[in-house]
Amino acid sequence: MIFGRSKRKPISIPAKDVAQWKYTTCNYCSTGCAIEIGLNESGKIVTSRGHAGADVNRGKLCIKGLLEHELFDSPGRGKFPLMRDKAHLPFQPASWEVALDKTAEKIKEIQAKYGRDSFAIVSTGQLLTEEFYTLGKLVRGQIGTNNYDGNTTLCMASAVSGYKRSFGSDGPPGCYGDFEHTHCLMAFGSNLPEQHPVIYWRLKEALEKRKFPLIVVDPRVTMLAQFADIHLPITPGTDTVLINAMMHVIFKDGLQDDDYIARHTNGIDELRALVADYDPKTAQHICGIDEDRIRTVARIYARAPTAMSIWTMGINQSTHGSDGVVNINNLNLITGNIGIPGGTSLSITGQCNAMGTREWSSCSGLPGYRLLEKQADREHVADFWGIDEAFFPPARGLAQTDIFPAIETGQIKGLWLVATNPMTSMPNQPRIRKAMENLEFLVVQDVYEDVETNKYSHVFLPAAVWAEKEGCHTNTERRVNLTRNVLEPYADSKADFWIFNELSKRFADRNTIHFPATPEGAFEEMKVLSRGAGRTLDISGMSYDRIHAARGIQWPYSEEQARRDEEKIGPAAGFDMHTRQDFLGNPRLYTDGTFQTPDGRAKLIPVRFVNNNECPDAEYPFWLNSGRVVEHFHTRTRTGKIGNCNKFSPTPYMEMNPDAADELGIEHASYVRLVSRRGDAVVMVQLTQRVARDMLFIPFHFHDCVNRLTLGLLDPYSRQPAFKQNAVRVEQIDQREAARLNMERRAF
Ligand SMILES: Nc1nc2c(c(=O)[nH]1)N[C@H]1C(S)=C(S)[C@@H](COP(=O)(O)OP(=O)(O)OC[C@H]3O[C@@H](n4cnc5c(=O)[nH]c(N)nc54)[C@H](O)[C@@H]3O)O[C@H]1N2
Ligand SMILES: Nc1nc2c(c(=O)[nH]1)N[C@H]1C(S)=C(S)[C@@H](COP(=O)(O)OP(=O)(O)OC[C@H]3O[C@@H](n4cnc5c(=O)[nH]c(N)nc54)[C@H](O)[C@@H]3O)O[C@H]1N2
Ligand code: SF4
Ligand SMILES: [Mo]
């Protein structure tokens, strides 16, 4: 007899007494999952679920989305503004009035003393779109500094630059629905199962319905590589060589789409001439992929009735980032795979609102993909805001990665960081620390007061997070989705929208501009700005109610289209699932082969490879690669405080190949010191065949770890750092000393 068994009750999950579900969009990755937050009778949050009627996630969520509601009262949140005269002194609490007065006064003082551009502003891809628009208005229309950028320079800048070079405009042209139509998918440096789990789920579902080849290009055996039909473990930084060699084969075999090339592109002769130099026999020695494998992959891709490419940081974070994007576009253009179901060049974006900032923040120009360098755009926006066009700077200023060196040289004296944590996320941390110490004035606006960057600040502005606010995000497939306001901001924190509005009052002496009082008001204003003949970024047909009813709408979505849809199905409010399909906007760009270039044709741009990376050598014999794990988001300010995310992935670690470890006498789970030309870091070894003998991989989430070592050479077009190509050596270290160091570093 087995004691106890008969008495054991079956497992039951207690019912959650949800009285009301509130609609939101996930605030972590760019997949854009719709989440419903469940509140009980007394308004307390008791649970979350994926929205079954949302086309993006169809009821699914990953671990981060499922637990996101635990954020609201997580430890370390900023309760009220803080101030101090010098960065090493203790903070004093301050009222919003005083903290905002001080911020405005210091910005003005620094600008008066050193010039308008001596005060820099770095924002993020994690605010709501209406907040981006409002910040852009404040910076471009009132503060007037030209040195204004976002952390998207660490993330999406190469994709933006590559799209603009090839197609004349930013904007990923495809959608998740393309998985259902494609006959071949090639993924470059993108690990969907961990970084975009629900996009991966959409891909897997499509693969289960209809098998097609999945080709993964990644130096590491990622989870996606494990599920691939063909894995190409490329030599870091050489994707452009692989693609050139593929195009060489395609032209040689006559597999290109001559008709598409003739009707919709320019530059075919130059491209053909260049790729003639990249025969697979020669290319294999540079990119590390066997010549026959290159031929096979080229033929599979070009012969497929439709084929698509996706990519993420393995391409963008490289000195060849922009060229890599251009070359992926070249590959798709010569095979006629743009703007058709299952044929596309789809950048998988990163942060929840990486797209929103590209569209509306004015970081690299003016709102709605407009340019500071274009007279008509300047006049249009200046008229709309009611200011003198001459107030705008003549051209785009410094990128984030150039702002920090400019602090070192004294060109920039003050900095305002909004929702970004460069002390952990920027390459070459020792250099960033010095720059931060050089600042006369630093404002940090963040949800958490324990964020590393706050050690160097003079003013801290505590921000509300996610559903403590209301507004939109745009996801990877250009889908605008809504987060409803679910609860009040924590303690005396305030929505970023409110903070920008309040600051704008303090700059009214420069330009008086009208700032709408609510995010919805700002959205209505953006709609008007987005209207216009021939513009892809048209959101004029959207409204909060319509977005909510459709669970997200893809731009372009014009007023005319909305009118037609409404005639068909009645007014937006009250729509139910069965009608949402009629309301989704446009899934694809460039469907007619007309691009945003002056002559309407896409540009085929030849990309010659120059090896300019920091490659391993005798002194630093390993490639250092870095990336992410599924449980954590970026610098762990949020996920590091959520029980189950942190429990599954609590310690910094480094993947190392067992054969390489053997040679150096390094054991599994021991600590080692890594040394690069920039600095050193102590980290625990995890032996795995995921990485090759000459490569190490570290998740970048942990402070005082991988970015103490990275160099971050910049892409010449996008100014994005090559986070993934660095050289290091591995040294043995006293184990007890290392364990102590690591315990100190662990937050929880
Ligand atoms: N769980 C989780 N999800 C996230 C995030 C997070 O922090 N946590 N962050 C979000 C953000 S902002 C972003 S940008 C995305 C990033 O999403 P991904 O880009 O998918 O993630 P990473 O792990 O940074 O890098 C992807 C892969 O690039 C490979 N790689 C390195 N060098 C090369 C190379 O030279 N060529 C090629 N082809 N591949 C290379 C790496 O081995 C790695 O497996 O994830 C988003 N989603
Ligand atoms: N070595 C290495 N380094 C990398 C990368 C890599 O792959 N390898 N990836 C790079 C990439 S792709 C990215 S995107 C960057 C990310 O780098 P960061 O932007 O520096 O990282 P986060 O931790 O997301 O920082 C966002 C901050 O915003 C705060 N926040 C969240 N929501 C809000 C809000 O609503 N309002 C306000 N005011 N604050 C908010 C968070 O608490 C957090 O402190 O890291 C880059 N760094
Ligand atoms: S896949 Fe991305 S958007 Fe969806 S729940 Fe996970 S983190 Fe959020
Ligand atoms: Mo990113």
Side-chain angles (χ1 to χ4, degrees), residues 165 234-245 247 270-271 273-279 282-288 314-315 317-327 330 605-616 623 713 715-717 722 725:
R165 287 167 70 201
I234 195 157
T235 301
T238 64
D239 297 73
T240 55
V241 176
L242 169 70
I243 301 168
N244 278 345
M247 291 195 283
E270 293 82 351
L271 183 70
L274 177 112
V275 302
D277 295 345
Y278 287 80
D279 63 286
T282 318
Q284 67 179 346
H285 300 296
I286 309 172
C287 68
I315 292 290
Q317 288 173 347
S318 148
T319 50
H320 309 97
S322 174
D323 276 354
V325 174
V326 161
N327 234 12
N330 286 338
I605 303 169
V607 167
R608 191 169 287 286
F609 176 72
V610 180
N611 194 349
N612 53 5
N613 276 306
E614 185 187 50
C615 298
W623 284 107
L713 287 174
D715 178 277
Y717 296 93
Q725 291 93 30

Side-chain angles (χ1 to χ4, degrees), residues 136-321:
K137 208 166 166 183
L138 169 66
V139 179
R140 292 288 181 222
Q142 291 187 310
I143 297 178
T145 174
N146 195 15
N147 294 322
Y148 164 47
D149 197 33
N151 70 358
T152 39
T153 294
L154 311 184
C155 181
M156 300 316 305
S158 295
V160 174
S161 151
Y163 275 140
K164 284 186 180 163
R165 287 167 70 201
S166 301
F167 303 148
S169 173
D170 186 19
C175 61
Y176 309 152
D178 283 322
F179 301 146
E180 314 249 326
H181 302 280
T182 198
H183 292 83
C184 176
L185 187 137
M186 199 157 173
F188 296 86
S190 176
N191 186 16
L192 290 181
E194 292 205 73
Q195 270 68 84
H196 300 87
V198 172
I199 301 185
Y200 174 66
W201 172 74
R202 292 281 304 267
L203 171 62
K204 192 161 161 286
E205 203 187 39
L207 273 166
E208 277 164 11
K209 283 189 201 150
R210 189 179 47 84
K211 183 65 195 135
F212 53 85
L214 171 62
I215 303 164
V216 172
V217 188
D218 197 307
R220 180 171 167 252
V221 187
T222 57
M223 224 179 267
L224 189 64
Q226 285 176 288
F227 298 127
D229 298 290
I230 300 178
H231 172 216
L232 306 179
I234 195 157
T235 301
T238 64
D239 297 73
T240 55
V241 176
L242 169 70
I243 301 168
N244 278 345
M246 285 174 67
M247 291 195 283
H248 179 103
V249 176
I250 291 170
F251 288 131
K252 197 162 175 198
D253 291 6
L255 296 174
Q256 73 279 7
D257 185 338
D258 285 321
D259 183 48
Y260 190 88
I261 295 170
R263 282 194 296 132
H264 302 302
T265 69
N266 276 327
I268 183 65
D269 295 342
E270 293 82 351
L271 183 70
R272 264 177 178 277
L274 177 112
V275 302
D277 295 345
Y278 287 80
D279 63 286
K281 218 178 175 62
T282 318
Q284 67 179 346
H285 300 296
I286 309 172
C287 68
I289 308 298
D290 173 82
E291 56 174 311
D292 284 334
R293 192 50 68 92
I294 297 177
R295 288 191 196 98
T296 307
V297 166
R299 287 168 188 151
I300 293 175
Y301 201 87
R303 283 188 183 141
T306 59
M308 66 186 286
S309 317
I310 60 166
W311 75 91
T312 319
M313 290 307 122
I315 292 290
N316 289 358
Q317 288 173 347
S318 148
T319 50
H320 309 97

